[in-house]
Amino acid sequence: MMGWQSIRTAPLFGYGIAAVAALAAFCLRLLLDGWFPPGFPYVTFFPAVVITAYFAGARPAILCAVLSMFGAGYFFVPAYNGFHINVATGVALFFYVFVVAVDIFFIDGMRGAMRQLAAERERYERLAENRDLLYRELHHRVSNNIQVVGALLRLQAGGVSDGEAQRALTEAGGRIETIARIQRELHNQVGDPSPFRDFARSLLADANAAAGSPAEVSLDGGEAPLHPDQATPVTLVLLESFNNAIEHGFKGGAGQVLVSLDQSGDEHVLIVRDNGAGPPPGFDPRNSASLGLRIVRSMAGQLGGVFDLTRQDGWTVCRLTYRPKALEF
């Protein structure tokens, strides 16, 4: 069955509009004939031409104008019921032709511009869809490649006899795979940025399970997405702080970890609290040789932010403060 758009573009449809519009204008002029003083034979026919030009195009509008001209000239121009051209009727006819020609010219030009604009808009929409598709595909491939690097490091660790080197390679592989996962989960299935809370909750649950820890974890805030340039360092700080609590604070035992990300101010604040044993007296994270803390300090520096680790009321508090970048959608 032919669709409505196909019917509208059919030539006979446009000429049908022209004929109906001219007939309607004629009937209206006939109905109002007693109300008009002499000298207004074409007044109801101008709208008919304009409507036809807008909905059907130039050629049907020309047909409507010609039908209207003959209908008005025969029935509503003196002498009535016939054609009689004199100076007055010739001037009226000239102005009628001039006005409808101008109307048809500009309306058809407007229709052409609208068609061109619609075609350009459709083209740009297709380009945007292709761009988003390519971006997601590239994003997915990069994440996969990063994950492969992490897996290779883990495999390499299995062939190293030195325990410290094996542990370092395993941890490096795990961190690289974490980066790959962060990159993969930055966007949801339709390509929109994911809120920090969504993928942070999943990462924390996996880290907790991988450590074999019964720690109770709660997450507050983080409803908004992170800027892609800041998501990886912020999440790495989160995971390093969490793993530090599991490994050193709880030492494999039970505990509680509270995570919050405040995104309400000019500076965002990530806080990871745990009720574990905490650092030893006199511990200064700025002078620590721990690889995890060096990574955290490096990530904070990449963000242009500040990281500090303190002990407050029986809780170990890791705090990252940084100035966010604006997201562009």
Side-chain angles (χ1 to χ4, degrees):
M1 182 179 293
M2 183 180 293
W4 170 246
Q5 188 62 31
S6 300
I7 295 175
R8 282 195 60 183
T9 56
L12 290 179
F13 180 80
Y15 293 123
I17 287 180
V20 170
L23 180 61
F26 175 81
C27 293
L28 181 61
R29 180 63 181 80
L30 189 64
L31 181 65
L32 300 176
D33 188 49
W35 294 81
F36 288 138
F40 294 90
Y42 304 105
V43 66
T44 61
F45 295 96
F46 290 117
V49 176
V50 170
I51 292 172
T52 303
Y54 181 79
F55 286 103
R59 292 184 179 181
I62 292 172
L63 174 63
C64 180
V66 171
L67 293 175
S68 299
M69 181 181 66
F70 281 107
Y74 188 85
F75 290 100
F76 305 114
V77 174
Y80 301 104
N81 299 325
F83 294 103
H84 178 70
I85 302 297
N86 55 30
V87 175
T89 58
V91 170
L93 180 61
F94 171 78
F95 276 105
Y96 167 77
V97 172
F98 175 77
V99 171
V100 296
V102 170
D103 288 343
I104 293 172
F105 175 79
F106 282 107
I107 293 174
D108 189 62
M110 179 190 69
R111 292 178 79 248
M114 290 174 63
R115 287 194 300 269
Q116 185 176 2
L117 180 62
E120 287 296 313
R121 184 182 295 114
E122 184 178 352
R123 186 172 72 88
Y124 283 126
E125 287 176 355
R126 289 197 302 269
L127 288 175
E129 290 176 1
N130 291 335
R131 179 203 62 194
D132 293 341
L133 186 62
L134 288 173
Y135 173 77
R136 289 197 293 271
E137 179 64 21
L138 177 62
H139 192 79
H140 182 71
R141 288 182 181 274
V142 169
S143 300
N144 285 346
N145 290 338
I146 295 174
Q147 191 167 19
V148 167
V149 173
L152 289 175
L153 284 176
R154 287 179 178 270
L155 287 174
Q156 186 66 40
V160 175
S161 58
D162 184 84
E164 187 64 27
Q166 186 180 57
R167 179 173 176 271
L169 285 172
T170 301
E171 289 182 353
R175 289 186 176 101
I176 290 175
E177 290 177 353
T178 298
I179 293 173
R181 183 171 178 184
I182 295 169
Q183 293 297 312
R184 186 179 300 111
E185 297 186 7
L186 278 177
H187 297 83
N188 59 24
Q189 293 181 348
V190 297
D192 295 329
S194 296
F196 170 79
R197 181 175 57 189
D198 289 354
F199 65 85
R201 181 181 290 113
S202 175
L203 289 170
L204 289 172
D206 289 349
N208 201 22
S213 170
E216 179 185 346
V217 183
S218 66
L219 180 61
D220 183 40
E223 292 86 359
L226 299 180
H227 190 281
D229 293 343
Q230 297 182 320
T232 297
V234 170
T235 309
L236 285 177
V237 171
L238 165 66
L239 290 176
E240 290 295 339
S241 301
F242 178 80
N243 289 332
N244 181 71
I246 298 297
E247 183 178 353
H248 301 292
F250 304 146
K251 301 185 184 301
Q256 189 175 14
V257 181
L258 309 179
V259 178
S260 65
L261 177 61
D262 183 1
Q263 299 171 287
S264 60
D266 293 335
E267 289 187 329
H268 290 182
V269 181
L270 172 70
I271 299 177
V272 181
R273 297 182 178 89
D274 72 84
N275 60 353
F283 178 79
D284 187 352
R286 292 171 297 181
N287 299 324
S288 173
S290 166
L291 176 60
L293 285 175
R294 293 206 307 270
I295 290 174
V296 166
R297 291 198 299 270
S298 174
M299 294 298 101
Q302 183 176 326
L303 291 164
V306 177
F307 175 84
D308 60 75
L309 187 153
T310 59
R311 187 73 175 171
Q312 299 175 2
D313 300 326
W315 292 79
T316 301
V317 181
C318 299
R319 182 190 304 267
L320 171 68
T321 305
Y322 67 97
R323 189 172 293 273
K325 293 183 179 180
L327 275 171
E328 297 179 1
F329 295 95

